[in-house]
Amino acid sequence: GVPLAGPWDMIAFDVRSWGRPVTSWRLLPGGSGSWTESVEERGERGPRFGAVWHEVEAGPQGLGRLLAEPSRLPMPASDPTACSNFLPDLPYGTLRLTRGATTLEIAWNSGCMDADYCAFVAVLKAADSMVAGWGRAGRVLRTEPLAPPR
């Protein structure tokens, strides 16, 4: 697995689709951070798009549970471009682990349907779901407008 025992200064994750942000999060060593979701609101003048930032307070125990997920990842990480069964246009993103001046980036693409790659993505999705739950429970910090999709 990935050498994830830490200490990490920050762990971050993002999900994108068609080049646009879907969700993202970042957590600091104490388990505090933020989770951001892209939202679409229907209005009289058409849809408005925004990024809603939620506070995350997972604490050191929550962070430990979170880091247990990616510690199951293979190293080197699975390569989605070496996929024999690929479906385009599905979400993709990056897991980033930062310590000092070093950032380990693990890119992923859920369009790869190979069994071993699906198991790899399932680990990332489990971590993402954990933080999304904390984020949805956290207070809204701010909302920022996003440009509409092209």
Side-chain angles (χ1 to χ4, degrees):
V2 180
L4 288 183
W8 295 104
D9 299 328
M10 185 173 69
I11 178 172
F13 189 81
D14 68 278
V15 179
R16 302 181 76 76
S17 180
W18 290 83
R20 297 188 52 79
V22 177
T23 61
S24 66
W25 48 264
R26 60 216 39 80
L27 291 177
L28 300 173
S32 65
S34 63
W35 175 75
T36 307
E37 62 178 328
S38 297
V39 296
E40 178 182 344
E41 295 176 357
R42 298 279 173 195
E44 292 176 12
R45 298 189 185 120
R48 290 188 357 222
F49 300 89
V52 181
W53 293 68
H54 300 258
E55 182 177 57
V56 171
E57 287 296 342
Q61 290 177 328
L63 184 64
R65 285 200 325 273
L66 174 69
L67 287 173
E69 291 300 327
S71 68
R72 298 171 20 217
L73 295 175
M75 277 305 264
S78 301
D79 182 357
T81 64
C83 187
S84 58
N85 185 12
F86 191 83
L87 298 176
D89 305 333
L90 291 179
Y92 59 93
T94 310
L95 170 67
R96 291 178 181 85
L97 302 155
T98 301
R99 181 183 299 131
T102 301
T103 298
L104 172 65
E105 287 197 355
I106 301 172
W108 57 273
N109 189 319
S110 62
C112 181
M113 295 292 137
D114 295 1
D116 60 338
Y117 198 83
C118 286
F120 169 78
V121 170
V123 171
L124 297 173
K125 286 182 177 178
D128 187 39
S129 294
M130 191 180 300
V131 178
W134 296 329
R136 286 186 185 97
R139 69 186 173 96
V140 172
L141 298 172
R142 67 182 185 275
T143 302
E144 298 175 356
L146 289 174
R150 295 174 198 237

